[in-house]
């Protein structure tokens, strides 16, 4: 209030980022602290660049975390795997959560990814990104949980609406009905048909980057990634032609 005028009328301070976006945010309850290196280090954050960002009670912490993650992902040089791939996956989860499509297991996956990035990247960019995100989840976990629960409830309702909508699909000569919206890769798994994949993770949004799971769909001119293509009524899919075997060996 003395230096920046305080919160907007009718608003309350929710959190403060004291030293640039890599500095873990401080909740309102922890703001009785001196703005110096030693004091902030003592509460597991830092003065850093002293670029102060104030969030009020109208700001969404999940959205703030998503925006911060996008900055680090954009700035990443991509040289090391933990930073390059880790920030891509955290970004996908946060984007989905912020859009109201959170799922059970998202928070645990974010915790795992933060732990995998921190201390394992070549430079401090990955550490800063993971430290900031982990702090946001720790300090405002209830807000993240709310996004997951609301998104999960929407998914359940959507599932009920589409539960009776089925599509007949033929994979390598085996025909059966599967729920509309099922990925070809998942439909193949249900039939015991093995399609190689490297980047597919069941709880995360499709990435389709490894190209190992390409399949041939009759009537389409080019191969399609089975991890990112949903079934359609009457679809005929081939996964084991000689062309595929040569492609996967290459």
């Amino acid at each position: 209030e003395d230096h920046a005028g305080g919160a907007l009328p009718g608003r309350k301070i929710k959190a403060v980022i004291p030293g640039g976006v890599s500095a873990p945010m401080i909740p309102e309850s922890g703001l009785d602290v001196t703005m110096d290196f030693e004091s902030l280090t003592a509460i597991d954050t830092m003065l850093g660049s002293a670029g102060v960002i104030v969030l009020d009670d109208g700001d969404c912490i999940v959205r703030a975390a998503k925006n911060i993650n996008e900055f680090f992902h954009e700035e990443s040089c991509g040289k090391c795997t933990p930073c390059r791939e880790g920030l891509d996956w955290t970004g996908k989860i946060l984007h989905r959560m912020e859009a109201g499509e959170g799922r059970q297991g998202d928070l645990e996956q974010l915790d795992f990814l933060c732990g995998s990035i921190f201390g394992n990247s070549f430079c401090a960019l990955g550490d800063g990104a993971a430290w900031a995100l982990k702090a946001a989840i720790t300090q405002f976990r209830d807000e993240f949980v709310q996004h997951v629960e609301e998104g999960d409830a929407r998914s359940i309702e959507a599932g009920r609406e589409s539960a009776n909508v089925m599509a007949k699909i033929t994979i390598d000569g085996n025909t059966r009905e599967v729920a509309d919206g099922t990925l070809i890769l998942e439909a193949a798994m249900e039939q015991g048909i093995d399609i190689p994949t490297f980047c597919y993770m069941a709880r995360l949004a499709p990435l389709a980057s490894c190209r190992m799971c390409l399949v041939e769909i009759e009537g389409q001119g080019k191969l399609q990634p089975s991890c990112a293509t949903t079934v359609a009524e009457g679809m005929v899919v081939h996964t084991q032609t000689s062309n595929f075997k040569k492609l996967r060996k290459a």
Side-chain angles (χ1 to χ4, degrees), residues 59-92:
D59 291 312
C60 171
I61 296 296
V62 177
R63 183 181 298 118
K66 176 181 75 75
N67 290 340
I68 292 170
N69 190 90
E70 286 177 352
F71 165 76
F72 282 113
H73 184 239
E74 181 68 23
E75 291 298 311
S76 173
C77 72
K79 181 177 181 180
C80 61
T81 302
C83 183
R84 181 185 66 247
E85 299 299 325
L87 295 182
D88 186 57
W89 284 116
T90 54
K92 289 177 184 294

Side-chain angles (χ1 to χ4, degrees), residues 24-57:
M25 59 181 62
I26 309 169
E28 187 276 334
S29 59
L31 291 181
D32 187 13
V33 61
T34 304
M35 284 285 288
D36 60 40
F37 291 100
E38 293 77 13
S39 299
L40 291 174
T41 299
I43 60 170
D44 294 324
T45 186
M46 63 179 178
L47 187 58
S49 64
V52 179
I53 300 172
V54 180
L55 305 174
D56 66 28
D57 57 2

